[in-house]
Amino acid sequence: MNDKSYHHGDLAQELRLVAADLIAERGAGGFSLREVARRAGVSHAAPTHHFGDATGLLTAVAIDALRHLHAAVTNAAEGIDDPRRRLVAMGRAYVEASAAHPGHCAVAFRHDLVNETDPSYLEAADAAHGVFFATVAEIAETTAEPLDVGTATSLGWATMQGLVELYSNMEEIGERHGQGSPPPIGTVAEQFAEIIVKGFG
Amino acid sequence: MNDKSYHHGDLAQELRLVAADLIAERGAGGFSLREVARRAGVSHAAPTHHFGDATGLLTAVAIDALRHLHAAVTNAAEGIDDPRRRLVAMGRAYVEASAAHPGHCAVAFRHDLVNETDPSYLEAADAAHGVFFATVAEIAETTAEPLDVGTATSLGWATMQGLVELYSNMEEIGERHGQGSPPPIGTVAEQFAEIIVKGFG
DNA sequence: GATCGGTCTTGCCAGTGTCAAGATACTGTG
DNA sequence: CACAGTATCTTGACACTGGCAAGACCGATC
């Protein structure tokens, strides 16, 4: 229970950080357990003890990603009374947090690399989802026609995650069509969110 | 220029198909050049000659993915005059094509695995994007307030791609909240698209 | 029929994930 | 304080991977 144990203060924590750095640097495909161990200054098998296998470590990184997203979105929501304006701010915060933690968020929803049935993962995903859900539910009370809150929440989530995934492609296509680069990703997120909120009715 | 060459009729084509099958089966993380070669019945270095390296083969698979998406969306659009109804049908077709070609579409936008500067890739992406753009442009002529066509197109694209990525998570969260499973992915796509089109004004 | 370029194979290397076994440091108990 | 036990980490091994170099083979061209 002591904070400092053995060689490192907290090797498990350090491994998660180093892994996220490595993914940010080389992409999820360039990730390697042994390189993580090397950068952390431990032997190649040390991560196994804490995380079982590569999937275990990547799952831990994904959980950290979800917590970062959750924290950023919650923080952005604070103090905004109008639920529509709040949802727009949350969308912006979501994509900006993804950009601020590229290593973490690059693996957050990678079904082939992460064990998405891990209880901690599900819990973290629930928490992040819940923040959006609550705000959409508030909006739903103000719409002319009834709005399915679950569907509407999923829509917002999918849009923001899709934007994170495709923003670089959008830049490329914008320039190829001579439309110039799109605005910063946070601004795009706001534009998207405003159209969606309008579509809620 | 003959159709049949050497051992196989068209090894490059066969390798792309086998690679897509393998990714569909094991996920993008389970992909392996040597396993692809094994399944195609050739030596482990045969793919190198056609695609250079693993990125080359995966880029080819991604290009096939974009072409599948393009074809499916174009096909779905045919014969629908109302651009709003057409866009909804295209959204459905997009996600259903992704579900029908999971191996291809799992790598279509994976910046760490695919060379997205490949001219053929850019061309295929342009083509798919263009179909959406044209329909959104038609819609934009009917809106009360002016609609930025580029932004609106990107919104639709991001939403559909995000849905493809997150649908399994949505299923999980829906069941955990006792809301039951969401509808089939094509139906969700329609629901999303209808809200978005409404938001276009 | 010899030559030659395109196609594929064989062999090799460093690097990887995972497992088993051992060494080391911390912890609690007498 | 001694000693045993456990969590932590290391070492060593294995099969596997991607990429390279060298060679073998086929098919067509002169």
Side-chain angles (χ1 to χ4, degrees), chain A residues 12-13 16-17 20 57-70 101 104-105 121 124:
Chain A
Q13 166 69 5
R16 282 182 299 191
L17 292 174
L57 176 49
L58 290 173
T59 299
V61 173
I63 292 169
D64 288 346
L66 294 173
R67 291 185 178 147
H68 279 130
L69 292 171
H70 176 66
H101 304 281
H104 290 95
C105 296
Y121 180 89

Side-chain angles (χ1 to χ4, degrees), chain A residues 167-184 188 191, chain B residues 126 129 133 148-151 154:
Chain A
Y167 182 70
S168 63
N169 300 80
M170 292 172 187
E171 290 182 306
E172 185 67 40
I173 285 191
E175 288 181 6
R176 275 169 66 82
H177 286 335
Q179 304 170 351
S181 278
V188 177
Q191 294 171 339
Chain B
D126 262 1
H129 180 267
F133 191 92
D148 184 303
V149 178
T151 302
S154 294

